[in-house]
Amino acid sequence: MGRVHRSIFSAALFTALALVAGACGSSSDDSVISESSAAIATERGLSEADINAALKTYTPSGQIDEYIMFASGGHSGQVFVIGMPSMRLIKEIGVFTPEPWQGYGYGDENHEDLFAAGAAGDEELTWGDTHHPALSETGGDYDGEYLFINDKANGRVATIDLRDFETKQIIKNPISINDHGGTFATPDTEWVIEGGQYATPLAWDYAPLDDYETDYRGMITFWKFDRAAGRLDYDASFAMELPPYWQDVCDAGKLVSEGWIFCNSFNVEMSTGMDPADPENSEPFEAGASAGENDYLHIINLEATTAVAAAGKTVEVNGFPMITLDTVIEENLLYFAPEPKSPHGVDITPGGEYMVVSGKLDPHVTIYSFEKIQKAIAAGGFETDQYGVPLLAFDDVVEAQVEVGLGPLHTQFDDQGYAYTSLFLDSDVARWSLGGPYREDGWKLEGTIDVHYNIGHLATAEGDTVSPDGKYLVALNKWSLDRFFHPGPLYPQNFQLIDIDEPGPEMQLLYDMPIGNGEPHYAQIIKADKLNPYTVYPEVGWDPGTMSVDPDAPQVGTEGVIRDGDNVTVNMTLVRSHFTPERVEIFEGDHVTWNLTNIETSEDATHGFTIPGYNINLSLEPGETATIEFDADNSGVFTFYCTEFCSALHLEMAGYFLVEPK
Ligand code: K7E
Ligand code: CUA
C-alpha cells in the first residue's frame, strides 16, 4: 500500500510531459515547460501515474468543474457539494443540523418553521444522519432541479431547491421513527421513496420485544412530489405496512421496470438481539440477524400500490394513510425473492432490465431479471413467507451471479456496460461486465482496484440514471488510516476519485479528498451544466421560503421601528456598508418582529446579521429578505453587526440595539 517514490526522473515520464505540453498547443516552448515540470516532479518524487493523475484533476483558477457531486454528510446531518474532478468542497448545505455560515437555524423564521415541521412530537431535533441523496429526475435522467435526502436516525426526509441550494422542507415520518432506504426518486420524480430499517411498533408506539412478530412492523413510505410547488405533498402521500424484516436500501425501476420498486432487507430471522435476562436462549444481532442463508428482496408493484392508495383502501395511523399488510397481500402489491446472506443494496441497471443485489457475507453479486420476475409472478402458485407474502423461487428469477470479492455492498454503472461494486472487506472496487444487451462478454469480473479503506457506497458520474456518463467513479471510504495527517484519534473519511474511462481490467486512482465533517454514505454526481442556480435572487425582497417576492419586505424608504403596544416591528435594509436603521431602541419584554432585506443586486454581495446574546445569526444573500421574531427578555446594549467582510468599511456596518430595563 506504500506509494512508490522515484527520486530519478524517468525518460518515459519526461516524454509524457513533453507530449502533454505539445497537446496544449504551446509548441514554441515545449522543452521549457517539460524541463521545469520535470524538475518539480523529480523534486517531489512523483511517479508517472502521479503526474497523469495530477493532469487529470488539476483545475486551474477560474475553471469550473465538469461535474458536481452531492454527497450525504452522514451524522453531520448535511449535504456536501463537491466539484469533480478537482474534488474541491464548494458548499455544505444545512439540512437537518443548524449551519451558522448560511445563518441556517439561528432565528430566521423560515428555518424555525422547517425545524418545527421536522420535530418528533414535541421534541425538536437539531441533527440528522443523512444517507441517500436523490436528485430529481425527468425521464430517468437527473434534471438538476431538486435534491431529496433522508435522516436515518429520526425517520425524516428533506427537500432542497437547487435554484438556491437551500433546504425548503423537512418532514417527519408520522409512522416510522427511523428509516434507511431513502430517498429514491422514480424516473419522473412523481414519488420519492423512503424505505424503512429497524422494525418498531407503528406510530412510535410501545410494545414489548416478546411481541415482535405480531406488533413490530417494517415500513416503506411513498412521498408524492409536487414539482410545481417544489415540495413533497404530505396530504397525497401514504405508507405501506411490511413484515418486521429490516428493510434496507431501495431503488426505483426504470425504463422496462418503471412502475416497480425494489428494496432489499435483512433480519428476516426476526432476531430481537441479546436478552440480558436470558442469554442462553438469545443471540446478539450480528449472529441472529445473519443466521439464515437468505433474506428477501422486496418487489413492489408501484402502479398497483398507488392505485390502491388512491382508492382509499388504507387505514389511518397517526393521521396518515397506510396500506395494511393484509391489503398489500390481497391486492398483490408485494412479492419476495430470496437474496443470499445479509444483503445490502439493490441497484437497477440503466435499462431497468436487472436488479443487482450484494450479500455482505457472500462473495457474489446476484443479478435478478425483471423479465423473469414478471414471468414468475404471472405463473403464480407461490409459496409464501409466514405473513402470507408470495415468495418467488430463486432459480426462477435469477439471471446470473458474479464472484466479485469479499464484502460486496453497492453497485453503480457506466456507459460501457460495466458495473462497479464496492467491496468493504477487501477494500476494493470490482469492475464487472453486464451481460444481456450490455456486453457480449457479460457476467464476469474484469478487474479490481484498491481503495483506502473500508469502502461503503461508490458513485459514478450520473451512475444511477438511464444514461450513465462513466468517466469517473468516487469511492466513499470509511477509514483513511495512513492517507492524511491525522488530526487526533478521529480520522476523516476518504473520498477517492478513480478514472474509469479506459475499458478492461485497469482503473486509475486520481485523488484523495479527506472529509472531516461526518460520514457520507451515498452520493450522486450530475453534469454541472445541468444545474442552473441563481447568481442573485431574482428580485429585491425575495423570500426563499416561498421563492417569491414578499410584498411586506423592507425596501429603501420603508425602514423604521414601529411600536404597537408591546409589539415592536423593525424594518431594516442592508447595503454596503450600512444598516438602516442603525439604532433600534426598545423596552425589556417587548415582542420583536425584525424584518431585514439585503437590497444588493450584485453577485456575491452577501451581508450577515447577528445580535449577540440572543443566538441570532442570519445570512442575507443579494435580494433576500428574512424575518426573526423574539422576546427581548435580556435588557442591555447589544451591538448588531454584519458578519460577512463585505466592503472596505465592513467593520462600520454595525448598529446599536438598546433594550431599556423595565
Ligand atoms: Cu451502505 Cu446507509 Cu446506503 Cu452507509 S448505506 S455505506
Ligand atoms: Cu455587510 Cu459586512
Side-chain angles (χ1 to χ4, degrees), residues 297-378:
L297 175 64
H298 291 40
I299 302 163
I300 298 166
N301 185 336
L302 175 67
E303 270 172 42
T305 298
T306 55
V308 164
K313 296 179 192 167
T314 52
V315 298
E316 298 257 310
V317 180
N318 201 9
F320 193 72
M322 182 187 80
I323 305 176
T324 65
L325 185 54
D326 287 344
T327 305
V328 166
I329 294 165
E330 268 166 43
E331 300 279 344
N332 304 312
L333 306 182
L334 171 69
Y335 302 88
F336 288 155
E339 307 171 291
K341 295 303 272 178
S342 299
H344 186 54
V346 50
D347 295 284
I348 315 301
T349 52
E353 309 89 342
Y354 306 108
M355 293 76 228
V356 179
V357 170
S358 308
K360 290 168 293 199
L361 304 178
D362 181 274
H364 299 87
V365 288
T366 299
I367 299 108
Y368 299 80
S369 154
F370 183 70
E371 199 183 320
K372 289 184 179 179
I373 289 171
Q374 293 306 310
K375 274 193 191 140
I377 290 173

Side-chain angles (χ1 to χ4, degrees), residues 58-393:
Y58 176 69
T59 306
S61 182
Q63 193 164 309
I64 305 288
D65 278 298
E66 185 182 1
Y67 288 95
I68 298 296
M69 170 162 55
F70 293 91
S72 74
H75 27 37
S76 74
Q78 318 292 47
V79 166
F80 303 142
V81 183
I82 296 161
M84 257 179 56
S86 75
M87 303 304 279
R88 295 178 295 199
L89 177 66
I90 293 168
K91 185 174 188 178
E92 178 180 345
I93 304 174
V95 186
F96 296 109
T97 305
E99 203 291 313
W101 165 59
Q102 292 152 77
Y104 180 70
Y106 295 95
D108 185 321
E109 281 294 299
N110 283 337
H111 308 155
E112 299 291 311
D113 292 348
L114 285 183
F115 281 95
D122 294 335
E123 190 69 39
E124 184 145 311
L125 305 165
T126 55
W127 85 285
D129 185 10
T130 55
H131 274 237
H132 303 104
L135 285 156
S136 58
E137 296 179 15
T138 299
D141 265 316
Y142 304 146
D143 56 40
E145 292 189 357
Y146 293 92
L147 181 78
F148 310 94
I149 193 147
N150 72 311
D151 164 17
K152 166 172 165 153
N154 304 298
R156 297 185 293 172
V157 291
T159 308
I160 296 161
D161 192 325
L162 295 178
R163 282 173 291 180
D164 61 358
F165 282 56
E166 287 196 4
T167 302
K168 304 297 180 184
Q169 181 179 34
I170 297 176
I171 295 181
K172 171 74 198 88
N173 192 304
I175 301 183
S176 186
I177 194 67
N178 69 81
D179 70 26
H180 186 232
T183 48
F184 294 89
T186 55
D188 285 305
T189 326
E190 288 180 305
W191 298 93
V192 173
I193 307 301
E194 182 190 16
Q197 182 105 98
Y198 307 116
T200 58
L202 300 176
W204 330 337
D205 222 340
Y206 172 81
L209 280 163
D210 284 344
D211 299 338
Y212 187 87
E213 293 184 20
T214 53
D215 289 11
Y216 285 55
R217 284 294 175 264
M219 180 66 50
I220 175 170
T221 307
F222 300 81
W223 296 106
K224 183 91 179 91
F225 182 54
D226 179 348
R227 195 185 284 262
R231 299 288 188 276
L232 299 171
D233 183 351
Y234 190 95
D235 295 329
S237 303
F238 65 94
M240 173 187 271
E241 181 184 20
L242 294 170
Y245 312 141
W246 290 355
Q247 285 78 30
D248 197 33
V249 192
C250 302
D251 201 358
K254 50 188 111 153
L255 297 177
V256 300
S257 54
E258 185 165 351
W260 291 74
I261 301 290
F262 305 87
C263 300
N264 76 293
S265 69
F266 60 111
N267 198 16
V268 302
E269 297 86 349
M270 296 192 280
S271 169
T272 53
M274 189 61 144
D275 180 356
D278 189 10
E280 299 293 304
N281 293 303
S282 59
E283 279 183 303
F285 282 118
E286 59 181 321
S290 55
E293 283 304 309
N294 291 302
D295 293 282
Y296 296 144
L297 175 64
H298 291 40
I299 302 163
I300 298 166
N301 185 336
L302 175 67
E303 270 172 42
T305 298
T306 55
V308 164
K313 296 179 192 167
T314 52
V315 298
E316 298 257 310
V317 180
N318 201 9
F320 193 72
M322 182 187 80
I323 305 176
T324 65
L325 185 54
D326 287 344
T327 305
V328 166
I329 294 165
E330 268 166 43
E331 300 279 344
N332 304 312
L333 306 182
L334 171 69
Y335 302 88
F336 288 155
E339 307 171 291
K341 295 303 272 178
S342 299
H344 186 54
V346 50
D347 295 284
I348 315 301
T349 52
E353 309 89 342
Y354 306 108
M355 293 76 228
V356 179
V357 170
S358 308
K360 290 168 293 199
L361 304 178
D362 181 274
H364 299 87
V365 288
T366 299
I367 299 108
Y368 299 80
S369 154
F370 183 70
E371 199 183 320
K372 289 184 179 179
I373 289 171
Q374 293 306 310
K375 274 193 191 140
I377 290 173
F382 323 104
E383 291 182 30
T384 63
D385 81 332
Q386 74 174 84
Y387 292 92
V389 179
L391 184 56
L392 310 178

Side-chain angles (χ1 to χ4, degrees), residues 102-104 106-112 166 537 540-545 548-550 552-554 569-574 593-599 607-609 616-629:
Q102 292 152 77
Y104 180 70
Y106 295 95
D108 185 321
E109 281 294 299
N110 283 337
H111 308 155
E112 299 291 311
E166 287 196 4
Y537 281 114
V540 168
W542 194 266
D543 178 355
S548 61
V549 173
D550 178 353
D552 298 326
T569 302
V570 182
N571 289 317
M572 174 174 270
T573 60
L574 297 78
T593 304
W594 199 311
N595 306 306
L596 305 93
T597 305
N598 177 354
I599 59 171
H607 298 288
F609 175 78
I616 284 167
N617 168 40
L618 305 183
S619 168
L620 293 139
E621 286 105 58
E624 180 174 355
T625 191
T627 296
I628 44 182
E629 225 181 299

Side-chain angles (χ1 to χ4, degrees), residues 67 137-143 187 254-255 348-352 413-417 438 460-471 525-527 530:
Y67 288 95
E137 296 179 15
T138 299
D141 265 316
Y142 304 146
D143 56 40
K254 50 188 111 153
L255 297 177
I348 315 301
T349 52
F413 307 96
D414 72 5
D415 57 339
Q416 307 187 68
Y438 293 93
T460 54
E462 308 228 339
D464 66 359
T465 67
V466 295
S467 55
D469 283 12
K471 210 162 173 173
I525 300 165
I526 183 175
K527 201 87 192 298
K530 286 187 176 177

Side-chain angles (χ1 to χ4, degrees), residues 450-472:
D450 285 344
V451 292
H452 313 88
Y453 301 88
N454 296 3
I455 178 173
H457 274 273
L458 36 59
T460 54
E462 308 228 339
D464 66 359
T465 67
V466 295
S467 55
D469 283 12
K471 210 162 173 173
Y472 298 113

